[in-house]
Amino acid sequence: MPHLDFSVLLQGQFLDWLLAGVRLSLTLTVLALVIALPLGTLIALARLAPFPPLRALAWTYVEAVRNVPLLAHMLFWYFAVPELLPDGVKAWLYAGNVEAAAALAALVVYTAAFVAEDVRSGLRSVPPGQWEAAKSMGLRFAGSVRWVVLPQALRATVPPLISQTLNLWKNTSIATVVGAAELMYQAQRVESATFRGFETFAMATATYLGVSMLITGAGVLYQRRYPVRPAGH
Amino acid sequence: MSIAEMIDTYWLYVLVGQYPNGPLGGLALTVVLAALGLLLALPLGVLLGVARVSRRAWLRWPVTALVYVVRGTPLLMVIFWAYFFLPAVTGHKTDQFNTMLAALVIFDAAYLAEIVRAGLQSLPSGQRLAAEALGMSRGQSLRLVLLPQALRHMLPSLVNQFASTIKETSLGTIIGLSELSFIAGQVNAQVLVQPVAVYGMLAGCYFVMCFGLSRLAHAVERRSNRQRATPVTAPSAVDRFYAFMRGGLRNPVSTLARNTRTSQ
């Protein structure tokens, strides 16, 4: 084992590169989550809608997206989608950070499909009798949702959504394939500039693990505070 | 170059890469790599899964730590570790295929370990007690009573896992392995004017394989559910066909096949 030296990476330009990478990875995660959560919820509601064409459309979206690897989504958004846009929009895209934009679009589309499935099973976990029970207690629709249905649905939905957030955080690494300068991309850059592969990848791995642990920890705390209770039938 | 001309020129290249004049590539390599990765990961996953529920702390703790570390790390990171450090460990240069295979086996084994653990923990405790009452050792009860049942429940999850592994192989592109996504990039670079068609068809190839596998997982699950309910009659081929066709329209909330990864 060669002599390990982290000092090169803990100062100056190389540290700046790695930190910029972490920043973009976190930004992609947060932005994709903020957009994918409402989008996924809408798709989940469409899958439960009393209107068959809408259900079919939402089902098609979920299956079409989930059965294609994220890497192919990224390549499609980066190489193909700009060709489908009008020239003005294309020029504007290429003037900006087109790599990060393509990565974000792919992450949003991909994550929303998984979120939709989690929200759908969460909503279905509340037995229909609960609606009727709420009504018979004299609650109106808003009250039923607020006090009876939502608290139960959330208990079943939040834990899988937290594990989806963990997947999203790990998935940002794939953005390196279209050249988005996130952590994985910057780690490769630092490695080829310093030849300190072991140290660079150790730092990147520790960062991925650290954030993953935080997300997993949030999940554990939530489940302690709001344990899933078996619904009464 | 039109789309028809492009398909006519490149279909064989997409299917098998440069084979037989060079290494196997394209769609064939994607399938071979995923199948081999899952096959090799399975025994390792079973061992790790059993260790996760072991009573011996010295065995349980390190394996639990390993599983958590792998599950908290992107697959791409595991591939890089394999890429840079396999040669250092083995002493000779590792090609992209074996690098990717090693990364997939380690990564998938950690996920399979959790499926095995869930399968073992979902068995009624009476099974273990009954095996004990028959005078079996812990090893025997695992081998003869618990694992066979747990693995049977796992079958739908395994089929889903195969679909996930096919999706994971696409990351081989990043280390220059000539699997399906890499070949698509090559074709796109040569044709230049058809990116929408090239990447649309790439998505289509993956979709056909993975969607087919997820339907198969549903069919397997229904069949095993029905067999548990009525152990005498196996469903006829017609039953299975209907179940397969119906699977697209109805969504049973699956118990074990909750594949929360996919995400790759």
Side-chain angles (χ1 to χ4, degrees):
Chain A
M1 202 75 225
H3 169 68
L4 289 187
D5 179 14
F6 283 89
S7 62
V8 182
L9 306 179
L10 293 175
Q11 57 199 344
Q13 181 195 25
F14 299 129
L15 182 67
D16 291 346
W17 287 359
L18 289 172
L19 286 176
V22 176
R23 257 199 306 277
L24 183 59
S25 287
L26 285 170
T27 307
L28 283 172
T29 304
V30 172
L31 280 179
L33 197 65
V34 166
I35 306 169
L37 278 180
L39 182 62
T41 307
L42 279 178
I43 296 163
L45 291 173
R47 287 208 57 179
L48 299 168
F51 183 56
L54 194 59
R55 281 208 301 269
L57 193 72
W59 179 85
T60 308
Y61 174 90
V62 170
E63 291 299 340
V65 169
R66 278 199 319 179
N67 287 301
V68 172
L70 179 58
L71 185 118
H73 283 282
M74 295 246 179
L75 295 176
F76 188 83
W77 280 94
Y78 184 67
F79 289 106
V81 172
E83 298 301 311
L84 300 168
L85 298 170
D87 284 344
V89 181
K90 210 164 107 177
W92 174 81
L93 257 183
Y94 281 115
N97 190 343
V98 66
E99 294 85 5
L104 179 64
L107 285 167
V108 166
V109 166
Y110 194 73
T111 308
F114 288 91
V115 166
E117 286 303 271
D118 292 336
V119 172
R120 189 176 64 102
S121 27
L123 289 174
R124 286 175 44 145
S125 74
V126 182
Q130 295 288 318
W131 284 103
E132 288 148 28
K135 210 182 265 183
S136 67
M137 302 277 287
L139 287 167
R140 302 240 170 83
F141 177 79
S144 307
V145 171
R146 167 76 185 79
W147 298 110
V148 179
V149 179
L150 204 60
Q152 296 183 68
L154 278 182
R155 279 164 196 261
T157 314
V158 171
L161 285 182
I162 288 180
S163 89
Q164 224 42 263
T165 310
L166 176 63
N167 288 334
L168 173 60
W169 164 245
K170 291 187 291 181
N171 280 337
T172 56
S173 64
I174 298 175
T176 194
V177 78
V178 293
E182 43 62 70
L183 177 55
M184 195 62 92
Y185 179 92
Q186 297 287 24
Q188 289 174 80
R189 218 176 127 198
V190 170
E191 190 275 334
S192 53
T194 61
F195 295 104
R196 294 235 161 248
F198 185 89
E199 292 88 336
T200 310
F201 291 131
M203 277 172 77
T205 304
T207 309
Y208 278 116
L209 265 180
V211 176
S212 295
M213 293 285 164
L214 286 177
I215 297 170
T216 312
V220 171
L221 285 180
Y222 182 89
Q223 266 167 310
R224 267 207 204 133
R225 176 72 185 74
Y226 303 106
V228 180
R229 300 201 198 96
H233 290 286
Chain B
M1 188 181 241
S2 73
I3 294 177
E5 280 172 338
M6 183 176 80
I7 294 173
D8 193 47
T9 314
Y10 290 108
W11 68 272
L12 190 64
Y13 183 51
V14 169
L15 218 53
V16 294
Q18 294 170 332
Y19 192 81
N21 310 315
L24 187 69
L27 190 66
L29 184 72
T30 288
V31 174
V32 167
L33 184 61
L36 207 55
L38 192 61
L39 263 166
L40 294 174
L42 196 54
L44 185 59
V46 170
L47 284 177
L48 292 177
V50 169
R52 287 272 282 125
V53 293
S54 165
R55 278 190 303 197
R56 298 181 186 87
W58 57 265
L59 186 64
R60 197 175 62 238
W61 280 104
V63 171
T64 304
L66 174 78
V67 168
Y68 270 83
V69 165
V70 172
R71 288 173 66 101
T73 315
L75 173 58
L76 195 50
M77 203 81 237
V78 179
I79 295 171
F80 277 11
W81 282 108
Y83 189 77
F84 279 92
F85 301 106
L86 266 184
V89 175
T90 57
H92 48 81
K93 208 175 168 320
T94 320
D95 64 350
Q96 288 116 332
F97 180 83
N98 287 313
T99 300
M100 193 65 204
L101 186 62
L104 276 179
V105 167
I106 294 166
F107 195 75
D108 278 7
Y111 280 86
L112 288 173
E114 290 303 271
I115 298 178
V116 172
R117 182 181 65 98
L120 285 172
Q121 287 179 333
S122 71
L123 292 177
S125 59
Q127 294 290 327
R128 195 176 52 79
L129 297 173
E132 228 165 80
L134 289 170
M136 290 185 181
S137 68
R138 269 186 78 77
Q140 277 177 314
S141 66
L142 259 180
R143 210 176 57 243
L144 302 170
V145 179
L146 303 175
L147 272 180
Q149 295 184 72
L151 294 181
R152 211 176 29 236
H153 292 303
M154 275 172 51
L155 198 56
S157 305
L158 280 181
V159 178
N160 272 324
Q161 192 60 42
F162 187 43
S164 291
T165 312
I166 285 183
K167 293 199 292 177
E168 284 162 5
T169 57
S170 64
L171 295 188
T173 301
I174 296 170
I175 56 168
L177 179 74
S178 59
E179 45 61 70
L180 188 58
S181 299
F182 184 86
I183 298 276
Q186 298 278 309
V187 172
N188 187 49
Q190 285 173 30
V191 179
L192 276 177
V193 290
Q194 296 284 6
V196 179
V198 169
Y199 289 108
M201 283 191 245
L202 173 69
C205 285
Y206 281 115
F207 176 80
V208 168
M209 290 189 286
C210 298
F211 182 72
L213 284 167
S214 80
R215 286 287 128 235
L216 181 67
H218 272 303
V220 168
E221 197 177 359
R222 279 151 183 265
R223 210 179 120 218
S224 65
N225 284 347
R226 205 168 348 168
Q227 273 178 337
R228 264 201 295 277
T230 53
V232 217
T233 52
S236 68
V238 175
D239 281 351
R240 257 177 255 165
F241 173 72
Y242 276 126
F244 176 79
M245 297 302 289
R246 264 207 315 270
L249 306 173
R250 249 197 258 153
N251 291 286
V253 179
S254 61
T255 45
L256 266 177
R258 290 294 305 280
N259 189 338
T260 45
R261 195 153 48 112
T262 67
S263 333
Q264 285 292 344

